[in-house]
Amino acid sequence: MNKMIAVFSLFLIGATITLAQVNANYDGPKPEVREGSKSFVFRYTPFQSNFEPAYVSTASIYPNSKINLYGAGFRYFLTNQIAVGLGLNFGTSSTTQEYANGDKDELSVTTFGLSVDGNYHLKALYSVSPYFGVNLNFGTYSSTFEQTVNIVTDKTEYSGTGFGAGINFGFDWYFTEGLSLGGKYTLGFQSFGKPEQKQGNVTVEGASSSTFGTGAASVILNVHF
């Protein structure tokens, strides 16, 4: 028994020494900032483990509301410094409410959004990679509400759009192999077209609007592969 313990101890000591030699020059994870690197992009709520889609764009809704569009995010490094990020939103849903007297309400909603980021990564500081760049985004919203009362159906359609552009300032922190957390500020503007309500041959427009200033994205989680 003592011999087995001695052999196991020698084996453990040897493995430890070997591992220490292999990692002798290891000084932590390095930013995966190089041509061909790619990652999926998520929004992350710290301390809650909530993974959510990436922000894509914002669209107007009649008469004076806005809707933020979220979707799938992807990033790819074209060179050792330049990364292109894409965000895509597409969604459609429908709801039907039927009543005992034969009346019925039907609602369908469709959204589409697209965003493009082009960022230039500066020299890394240990495991942090700062960057600056530009963002362009576009979003649309449309819905149809049909109400059937006494076999007569009235249909109302809604639509709205949004366009944005800005300058990004952000960073990625590579806290472990294959994963990085980051955040960014965007200085720019968002322009919203006149949202519409169409009922029969009558179309009513809401007011167009625009904003300019800084905004901060939620915590960004990049999953590298």
Side-chain angles (χ1 to χ4, degrees), residues 9-24:
S9 299
L10 290 174
F11 174 79
L12 182 61
I13 293 171
T16 302
I17 293 173
T18 301
L19 183 62
Q21 291 175 343
V22 170
N23 294 290

Side-chain angles (χ1 to χ4, degrees), residues 82-103:
I82 299 175
V84 173
L86 298 175
L88 177 65
N89 165 276
F90 175 76
T92 181
S93 64
S94 61
T95 304
T96 300
Q97 176 67 59
E98 298 182 348
Y99 301 95
N101 62 358
D103 294 346

Side-chain angles (χ1 to χ4, degrees), residues 48-71:
Q48 296 183 27
S49 299
N50 291 338
F51 295 94
E52 301 173 343
Y55 170 76
V56 176
S57 186
T58 303
S60 57
I61 301 179
Y62 181 87
N64 56 2
S65 299
K66 306 290 189 300
I67 181 172
N68 291 327
L69 306 180
Y70 299 90

Side-chain angles (χ1 to χ4, degrees), residues 42-185:
F42 299 86
R43 287 190 307 134
Y44 175 58
T45 304
F47 313 115
Q48 296 183 27
S49 299
N50 291 338
F51 295 94
E52 301 173 343
Y55 170 76
V56 176
S57 186
T58 303
S60 57
I61 301 179
Y62 181 87
N64 56 2
S65 299
K66 306 290 189 300
I67 181 172
N68 291 327
L69 306 180
Y70 299 90
F74 178 77
R75 185 176 67 174
Y76 183 82
F77 276 83
L78 299 177
T79 70
N80 291 340
Q81 289 82 31
I82 299 175
V84 173
L86 298 175
L88 177 65
N89 165 276
F90 175 76
T92 181
S93 64
S94 61
T95 304
T96 300
Q97 176 67 59
E98 298 182 348
Y99 301 95
N101 62 358
D103 294 346
K104 182 169 59 175
D105 293 338
E106 296 178 279
L107 174 66
S108 62
V109 177
T110 301
T111 62
F112 173 79
L114 179 66
S115 70
V116 179
D117 283 277
N119 294 319
Y120 183 88
H121 284 250
L122 305 173
K123 183 178 180 180
L125 179 63
Y126 299 104
S127 57
V128 175
S129 177
Y131 61 81
F132 67 91
V134 296
N135 169 269
L136 297 173
N137 64 81
F138 174 77
T140 65
Y141 169 91
S142 63
S143 65
T144 300
F145 178 69
E146 294 185 346
Q147 186 175 48
T148 301
V149 179
N150 296 327
I151 316 179
V152 178
T153 300
D154 289 327
K155 182 170 72 171
T156 305
E157 299 174 292
Y158 300 90
S159 62
T161 60
F163 171 78
I167 301 175
N168 298 325
F169 301 92
F171 73 94
D172 293 320
W173 171 43
Y174 292 75
F175 63 97
T176 188
E177 303 293 345
L179 296 173
S180 64
L181 289 173
K184 68 176 179 179
Y185 289 109

